[in-house]
Amino acid sequence: MAGTQKINEKHGRVPKIKLIALDLDGTTLGEAGISPATVAVLEKAIRKGVHVVIATGRVFCSLPEDVFRIRGLEYVINSNGAHITYLPEQEVIYSNCIGAGDILAVADILEANRVHPIEVFTEGRAYIDEEVYHDLAQSGSDFMNAAYVLATRTPVTGIYDFLRRHSGSIENINIHFRDLGDKADFWRLLGQRPGITVTSSVKHNLEIGGATTSKAAAIAWLCRRLAIGEENVMACGDSPNDIAMLKAAGLGVAVGNAEEEVKEIADFISRSNLEDGVAYAVKKFVLGEE
C-alpha cells in the first residue's frame, strides 16, 4: 500500500528535513521490533547528517534493544517528553516532570476512586503494585500486555505510598482501564485539573504528565539546542500522545495504522508500522528514494 499525500497547509511544500522524531509503539516498531530495513534507512539518514530522535511514551528502562542498535542515534525522548537522554554519554540533558504538589493531588483522587492498576515512572524506571504484578504473572490480562509489563515493571508494596514518596521526581503516571467508559470519565475528570496533562497511547490507558510535558515541547527544546527550526522536523506517530508533535513539526506523518484523529491532523499518511511505514516516509521525504 502506497502512502497518501495530503495538502501541507502549514508550508505549501515539503520542508528540508534536518531532524526526524519517531514514536515507537505502533509506529517504528513492528511485530518483531524495528525491522532491519527500517534500521538501514534510519542509519542512512543519520550518515546524511539528519538527526534521528526516538520520542516515546516508554520510560527509559523499557526501551527495546533495537533502539540501541541504530548506529549514530544520539537522543531519546522518554515518558512523553519528561526526559531527553543523550545516549553517547548516558546523560539526561532535559527534564520536565510533574510538580510534586500536583502528584499529591492526583494520588489522592486516584486512591479515593480506587483506580488501579497504575504504573509510576520515576528516574528512568517503571513501577507497579506487587499484587497486580503477581496477578498478571498468574492469570494474565484481557486488556493489558501482561508479558510486556512483567518484563519491564518493578513490583513495589503500596503503589500509592510509593507515588507520594517519590512525588518530586515523577515522569509519568500510566493508568490502565478495562472499561473504556471509565477511561473516558477519568480523562474528563483529570483533564480539568491545572498542573497536569492527560493523554493516551493505547486503547485502554491514560497517561498523566506535567503541565507542559509533551513530546512536542521536548522536541522544541532539542531543536533549540541543535539550532534547527521546527519547520525542518519530520515527526511520525500513531496515537493521541503524538498529535502535538505532529502538529508542531514541519511535516507530520501518520502511519497507516494510526488512530483516525491522528490521520486527520497529519500532512502525510504513510504505510502501516507492519509495512515499514517509517522507512517509506524517510525514503520519500529525506533520502529522495521513493
Side-chain angles (χ1 to χ4, degrees):
M1 172 183 161
T4 302
Q5 181 70 58
K6 296 173 65 179
I7 297 173
N8 188 334
E9 297 177 348
K10 291 178 286 190
H11 299 284
R13 59 180 177 79
V14 176
K16 179 177 176 57
I17 302 303
K18 299 180 181 180
L19 186 150
I20 303 167
L22 301 174
D23 172 57
L24 284 179
D25 295 278
T27 301
T28 309
L29 295 180
E31 290 182 341
I34 305 177
S35 73
T38 296
V39 170
V41 168
L42 295 179
E43 290 181 346
K44 189 169 184 178
I46 291 170
R47 291 195 299 271
K48 190 176 177 180
V50 177
H51 295 277
V52 173
V53 178
I54 300 300
T56 179
R58 292 190 183 212
V59 70
F60 191 86
C61 77
S62 300
L63 292 172
E65 284 300 316
D66 291 358
V67 166
F68 302 102
R69 297 190 183 107
I70 302 172
R71 288 172 292 185
L73 184 71
E74 296 177 292
Y75 301 99
V76 175
I77 296 170
N78 289 104
S79 300
N80 287 329
H83 280 167
I84 303 176
T85 299
Y86 181 57
L87 290 180
E89 298 180 6
Q90 291 291 299
E91 176 188 5
V92 176
I93 59 172
Y94 167 93
S95 292
N96 187 2
C97 294
I98 312 170
D102 296 307
I103 285 294
L104 296 177
V106 169
D108 288 346
I109 292 171
L110 297 180
E111 187 170 31
N113 285 278
R114 299 181 180 179
V115 177
H116 72 282
I118 72 166
E119 299 169 344
V120 175
F121 296 1
T122 180
E123 298 181 352
R125 302 196 65 82
Y127 299 85
I128 195 168
D129 194 275
E130 62 181 2
E131 291 186 8
V132 176
Y133 186 91
H134 294 312
D135 182 63
L136 287 171
Q138 293 176 2
S139 305
S141 174
D142 59 355
F143 68 104
M144 297 173 67
N145 185 336
Y148 173 72
V149 171
L150 294 172
T152 61
R153 276 43 176 160
T154 299
V156 295
T157 302
I159 192 67
Y160 285 109
D161 290 339
F162 178 88
L163 177 59
R164 293 184 177 98
R165 288 198 307 272
H166 294 82
S167 61
S169 60
I170 300 299
E171 301 170 30
N172 187 279
I173 303 171
N174 190 17
I175 312 170
H176 298 274
F177 295 91
R178 173 179 279 109
D179 187 320
L180 295 181
D182 290 342
K183 172 183 171 177
D185 289 343
F186 276 94
W187 199 330
R188 284 190 294 269
L189 173 64
L190 295 169
Q192 296 172 2
R193 283 203 57 83
I196 62 171
T197 54
V198 184
T199 188
S200 176
S201 62
V202 294
K203 184 177 181 181
H204 287 273
N205 88 329
L206 287 181
E207 300 174 15
I208 301 173
T212 60
T213 307
S214 71
K215 295 181 182 183
I219 291 165
W221 184 91
L222 192 54
C223 282
R224 292 192 293 272
R225 173 185 171 96
L226 298 172
I228 293 173
E230 290 183 71
E231 69 274 12
N232 300 114
V233 174
M234 181 174 83
C236 303
D238 73 306
S239 296
N241 64 328
D242 299 317
I243 288 176
M245 77 168 179
L246 265 64
K247 283 184 174 180
L251 182 65
V253 176
V255 286
N257 54 290
E259 299 287 340
E260 287 304 316
E261 61 188 302
V262 180
K263 291 180 178 179
E264 288 175 5
I265 60 91
D267 302 305
F268 179 78
I269 301 172
S270 189
R271 297 173 177 174
S272 77
N273 66 316
L274 301 182
E275 301 170 292
D276 291 328
V278 163
Y280 180 87
V282 172
K283 286 193 288 187
K284 178 179 179 67
F285 295 113
V286 181
L287 302 178
E289 297 180 358
E290 184 183 11

